[in-house]
Amino acid sequence: MSSSPLRRTALDAVHRALGATMTDFAGWDMPLRYGSERDEHLAVRTRAGLFDLSHMGEITVTGPGAAALLDHALVGAIGAVRTGRARYTMICREDGGILDDLIVYRLDETEFMVVANASNAQVVLDALTERSAGFDAEVRDDRDAYALLAVQGPESPGILASLTDADLDGLKYYAGLPGTVAGVPALIARTGYTGEDGFELFVAPADAEKLWQALTDAGAAAGLTPCGLSCRDTLRLEAGMPLYGHELSTALTPFDAGLGRVVKFGKEGDFVGRAALEEAAARAEQNPPRVLVGLVAEGRRVPRAGYAVVADGAVIGEVTSGAPSPTLGRPIAMAYVDAAHAAPGTPGVGVDIRGTHEPYEVVALPFYRRQK
């Protein structure tokens, strides 16, 4: 148990003034909710939500060898990413186990921003620093250089457009561009972790409160709602998005997680974990690993991570994430199950909830897909 004091974001005073319930998340004191988790969740699905994500770990990689370093250190083809675009990728150990899933933004020809999960930021920083040996590139810890605000939901483009002259219409999904929002210099990214359209705004911590207030004012008529980490979790669960420590871990390779597509064997040169991942890919073809599926409850009992998935009295898998779904109105879960039981509609599947086998329907992920 760490005795270090919790880190606070630049928006800490704002959260407390709004009456947020705070929680320790990866060593940060973060807002869990401001009021009703369900109301916050539904605001993002139907209107817009405003999040403080300043706990995420920003790592800048610069220099003539930056692209080559990232191609070596990560499983994706980062050198092929065009300036202004972003790529979802992973960093793996030599044995193929997933250290973290990442988003990498190419800011220009020789500069990239790697965004790691808060709980893994130091691990990723250490690994990139170690792997930079021999490359003409610098790895810089920029966690203190940024605050990160996110506006997510169908009303978010209109809200943001009222505060910036940046070309939001031309900003594609998984892209980023420098701009000014409410007079604040920002990297405006269109990624997100909710299943909705939305934007992330990377800004200087000193500008965070001004920007939060400007977004709050601009979004008032559209029903913009401050949102905590709790609804962020149910939103990503409905969208079928993996969470490190639940669907992803060092015990799994990307192929075990059903995300083998992020591994680019065709890129030039060797990369960390390549040999192990080639074996994992071959193994997955010969003997399919457990498959990540969706489970929808027939009753009201909520499954939690670690609960056994059962069929015909045998354990066939394990729940990785579970929660009540505000959108579906029923409990849902993601689980890794044996391939023989992974097809949607497979009969006889249940979850062992404290000794009772509760019936669940196997469905394809995601549970929720927004209307374009």
Side-chain angles (χ1 to χ4, degrees), residues 9 11 15-16 18-23 25 29-44 48-55 148 150 152 193-194 212 224-237 326:
T9 78
L11 292 163
H15 303 319
R16 292 171 194 281
L18 289 169
T21 299
M22 306 296 286
T23 189
F25 186 84
D29 205 14
M30 297 296 294
L32 187 64
R33 69 182 77 82
Y34 299 86
S36 156
E37 295 167 14
R38 183 176 181 277
D39 289 350
E40 291 172 24
H41 179 111
L42 294 175
V44 176
L50 178 59
F51 296 84
D52 177 11
L53 305 179
S54 303
H55 61 310
L148 176 57
Q152 293 278 308
Y193 193 54
T194 63
W212 179 281
L224 179 70
T225 299
C227 293
L229 293 182
S230 187
C231 83
R232 182 168 151 87
D233 191 47
T234 52
L235 289 160
R236 71 92 195 166
L237 177 55

